[in-house]
Amino acid sequence: MQQPEKKEPSDLYRNHDVHMLLSKLLSGEIVTLEPVYDSETGYRYPVVEAIVGEASRVEPFLKNLYDAGVLEKKLYDKIIFCPKCSSANVSIHYCCPFCKSYNIQKSSLVEHVKCGYMDVEEKFSEGDVRICPKCQEELVKIDVDYRKAGIWCTCKDCGKSFDIPVPTHFCRNCHTTSTFEEAIIKDAYSYTLKENVTAESSLNWFLVAAIRELLSNEGLTVESPSLLKGKSGANHTFDIVAYKGDKSQKAIVVDLAMSTGTVVSEQPVIALFAKIFDVSPERAFLIAIPKLSENGKKMTELYKIRAIEAKNQEEAIASLKKSLKTA
Ligand SMILES: [Zn+2]
Ligand SMILES: [Zn+2]
Ligand SMILES: [Zn+2]
């Protein structure tokens, strides 16, 4: 096991809210966490709001999970906020580049292929048919008789024409118009679970977090994962190590072993034995989920390893607690 990076995942996994969201994602109840549009605030994540309680806590909550490598994010949309009142109820106005009015008429430019006459589409309409205003010929087939030659806009205020309008943002809440330069634009993301986050890996994290908490509450100093130097001079990594008082005291070591099948093999028992033979801790626990193989169980008795078999986190914590009380 590697040493944790700057953000310790176990701190995150101790969090009940994280547990709630992860179980929804792991169970498939949520496949992709998508934001839901809200005209006032922009985007919201109602599922997450229901878990964390307050809308203001959603963003830092999701950011933490992303930073810790639990969630993957994908750009979903960009939200434009009014620079004056911060509302997300903002629309786009396409404006005249000359007088800035948004009272413009958008049309298509149409060209009569045969005579070359070009004008806005409306000039060609006569009832239900298209007639060239220059040569009076009827235009039937697009790309044969006539073709669309682009977009043409006319300002209804100053009367000038142009092909590219200037976009501005109009706040429907406070009626302020703002330019692209002034606009506040934020990213909205959809989230999915990182591929390597599985039911097993997160159970492992949750369990480590819960065990750390239990041992700390017992007044022990806890490290996880932790490296202990053995008599042979070799270093051994344990999932959790706890001391009564300082590090010179004998330690309690805990390893976790999980199986996606029905039983945990004797392999983690052998691995733990090899380490404790060298390190000589006061007590060694092996937490096996869901249970140990018969052979593995016999070996734990022989090697003086306390085996804790549990179907889930709650069971594991309860029996570890009980086992700690008995000397
Ligand atoms: Zn506004
Ligand atoms: Zn014509
Ligand atoms: Zn104009």
Side-chain angles (χ1 to χ4, degrees), residues 109-129:
L109 268 187
V110 169
E111 183 186 14
H112 181 200
V113 176
K114 209 161 145 193
C115 80
Y117 181 76
M118 199 189 283
D119 211 332
V120 291
E121 200 168 19
E122 295 76 54
K123 297 279 174 68
F124 287 81
S125 322
E126 273 188 29
D128 293 341
V129 292

Side-chain angles (χ1 to χ4, degrees), residues 248-272:
S248 62
Q249 302 288 312
K250 280 205 167 181
I252 292 173
V253 299
V254 185
D255 265 2
L256 308 184
M258 286 181 208
S259 169
T260 46
T262 50
V263 291
V264 173
S265 75
E266 59 270 25
Q267 202 281 324
V269 183
I270 297 166
L272 181 55

Side-chain angles (χ1 to χ4, degrees), residues 58-262:
V58 170
E59 223 182 279
F61 177 77
L62 291 172
K63 190 184 179 295
N64 275 346
L65 286 172
Y66 170 74
D67 288 345
V70 177
L71 294 179
E72 193 110 56
K73 70 178 181 184
K74 209 173 139 201
L75 188 62
Y76 183 84
D77 196 3
K78 297 259 178 185
I79 330 157
I80 302 162
F81 292 97
C82 169
K84 197 177 169 200
C85 76
S86 303
S87 168
N89 197 353
V90 170
S91 73
I92 301 275
H93 278 172
Y94 293 102
C95 302
C96 166
F98 304 102
C99 75
K100 307 289 184 269
S101 164
Y102 66 90
N103 190 11
I104 65 167
Q105 178 70 46
K106 178 194 169 206
S107 327
S108 296
L109 268 187
V110 169
E111 183 186 14
H112 181 200
V113 176
K114 209 161 145 193
C115 80
Y117 181 76
M118 199 189 283
D119 211 332
V120 291
E121 200 168 19
E122 295 76 54
K123 297 279 174 68
F124 287 81
S125 322
E126 273 188 29
D128 293 341
V129 292
R130 281 192 172 82
I131 305 286
C132 174
K134 190 186 171 201
C135 67
Q136 308 304 318
E137 206 173 284
E138 188 182 345
L139 314 180
V140 183
K141 279 192 177 150
I142 187 158
D143 294 331
V144 178
D145 299 333
Y146 68 98
R147 62 181 189 92
K148 298 230 172 163
I151 295 296
W152 198 240
C153 302
T154 309
C155 177
K156 287 186 166 179
D157 283 349
C158 74
K160 286 183 175 147
S161 294
F162 46 94
D163 57 351
I164 301 167
V166 175
T168 60
H169 303 130
F170 173 69
C171 175
R172 293 185 175 117
N173 185 50
C174 75
H175 301 166
T176 299
T177 297
S178 53
T179 61
F180 174 71
E181 286 79 11
E182 295 160 332
I184 299 157
I185 301 172
K186 276 176 71 182
D187 295 343
Y189 295 100
S190 64
Y191 294 88
T192 47
L193 262 191
K194 261 255 168 85
E195 223 176 311
N196 63 348
V197 178
T198 59
E200 288 74 42
S201 68
S202 51
L203 176 60
N204 187 72
W205 284 316
F206 284 127
L207 198 48
V208 167
I211 293 169
R212 287 181 62 141
E213 197 164 72
L214 171 69
L215 296 171
S216 301
N217 289 345
E218 297 286 321
L220 302 170
T221 309
V222 188
E223 275 183 11
S224 107
S226 182
L227 219 55
L228 290 183
K229 203 183 197 87
K231 293 185 287 281
S232 70
N235 283 320
H236 303 283
T237 306
F238 296 90
D239 286 336
I240 301 158
V241 173
Y243 314 88
K244 283 177 193 149
D246 64 75
K247 262 193 170 183
S248 62
Q249 302 288 312
K250 280 205 167 181
I252 292 173
V253 299
V254 185
D255 265 2
L256 308 184
M258 286 181 208
S259 169
T260 46
T262 50

